[in-house]
Amino acid sequence: MGRSRDNRRRAAAEAVVEAVEGGLAELIPDPDRARAWSLLIDGAPQSHVDLDDPAHLSFEYQRRIGHVIDLAAPPGKPVQAVHLGGGALTLARYTAATRPRSTQQVVERDAALVQLVRRELPLDPGARIRVRSADAREGLAKVPDGWADLLVADVFSGARTPAHLTSTEFLDEVRRALRPGGVYTANLADGPPLAHLRAQIATAAARFAGLALIADPAVLRGKRFGNAILVASDSPLPLAELTRRAASDPHPARLEHGAKLMDFTGGAAPVTDTSAVASPAPPPSVFR
């Protein structure tokens, strides 16, 4: 009981609060891990980083993306990765820790956030991570053709994915940057009636042959707002192993693919730049 109070006092005393371009950023110490921090923007949880153990992924959606990173190439093999959306650079740190000598590019629009994270949560000097402050789509356009083995999209502005990152034209740029057989994964967020998520699956199906979706069953049933992880490639995906890892997570998830995933779209049309809208805002109860 006393230790819990001490931890709360420590967290209150050491929290870092700073205005960034996207709102009010808070770095909150994790009372259970000596050098771990959570990043919140305007009260919405964005990232969790353990500087002593960058392979530790606390957020369930990041663990699901971690499974994709693990299976994107043979264990430990270096990859060339692009991360659209930086946050606290959690997934880039994870890739560097689990795949040493990987070369990574991070595109994060919020330059003030990048400065805050670099100062308070410094990167391992040996990690080959380059961070560029730019709009995600503009930064993606600068990636050479066929450069990336892995492309991760985790971009939110005011807790919503910007419209210009939801279209077939955006996915054309993703495909251009990926090498043949490369893997694209994206963090999507939606709630009932799941119109955004259904349209995003239809959009990805218009550009990729291999497709899967990992999410909490309650989210897939439209019972609550939550994250869903899209996985796409022009080559077959490791569906059996992704299914096993998703099901064995502390917060088990379901993987959908094939005809069942296409049925899930309910006939939704692919999104284009002219029809694109931002993802829906989460209800206030999500962050309580």
Side-chain angles (χ1 to χ4, degrees), residues 17-277:
V17 182
E18 195 166 303
V20 296
E21 294 166 27
L24 190 67
E26 299 174 84
L27 287 173
I28 308 296
D30 183 336
D32 298 318
R33 289 176 168 262
R35 298 182 67 225
W37 301 76
S38 291
L39 169 67
L40 286 70
I41 304 290
D42 286 340
Q46 299 287 325
S47 303
H48 180 278
V49 167
D50 188 335
L51 296 177
D52 288 333
D53 182 11
H56 172 77
L57 297 176
S58 179
F59 290 3
E60 61 187 58
Y61 90 86
Q62 290 184 328
R63 286 197 302 274
R64 291 167 189 164
I65 295 177
H67 300 327
V68 178
I69 295 170
D70 291 345
L71 298 171
K77 180 182 178 181
V79 295
Q80 295 186 161
V82 175
H83 301 263
L84 303 180
L89 308 177
T90 303
L91 292 168
R93 298 173 200 262
Y94 178 84
T95 305
T98 59
R99 297 185 176 279
R101 302 181 309 283
S102 291
T103 302
Q104 301 186 75
Q105 298 184 38
V106 178
V107 183
E108 169 56 60
R109 182 171 188 165
D110 194 328
L113 176 61
V114 171
Q115 291 177 356
L116 170 64
V117 168
R118 281 188 177 279
R119 185 183 75 236
E120 301 293 336
L121 308 176
L123 286 166
D124 180 339
R128 299 168 64 178
I129 300 172
R130 177 188 178 191
V131 184
R132 176 186 292 128
S133 295
D135 170 80
R137 192 153 158 183
E138 292 174 3
L140 177 59
K142 296 184 182 341
V143 176
D145 293 1
W147 185 85
D149 300 297
L150 172 70
L151 201 153
V152 179
D154 185 15
V155 184
F156 288 87
S157 176
R160 304 176 72 184
T161 300
H164 68 300
L165 305 181
T166 68
S167 66
T168 51
E169 290 90 342
F170 166 67
L171 290 185
D172 287 337
E173 275 295 291
V174 169
R175 283 185 58 90
R176 179 198 60 75
L178 283 173
R179 66 162 178 79
V183 177
Y184 170 63
T185 185
N187 179 24
L188 309 175
D190 199 8
L194 299 179
H196 172 74
L197 186 57
R198 297 181 201 279
Q200 286 303 286
I201 298 304
T203 304
R207 291 297 183 267
F208 289 96
L211 212 61
L213 188 70
I214 307 169
D216 185 302
V219 173
L220 292 175
R221 290 196 300 267
K223 298 295 186 183
R224 68 172 181 86
F225 194 98
N227 299 90
I229 303 305
L230 171 70
V231 191
S233 179
D234 59 10
S235 295
L237 294 168
L239 297 173
E241 185 61 16
L242 277 174
T243 299
R244 186 191 70 77
R245 292 185 181 218
S248 62
D249 189 82
H251 294 88
R254 194 167 78 217
L255 182 142
E256 298 288 7
H257 66 96
K260 198 167 183 180
L261 185 56
M262 291 304 96
D263 289 345
F264 174 80
T265 67
V271 175
T272 66
D273 276 347
T274 56
S275 63
V277 295

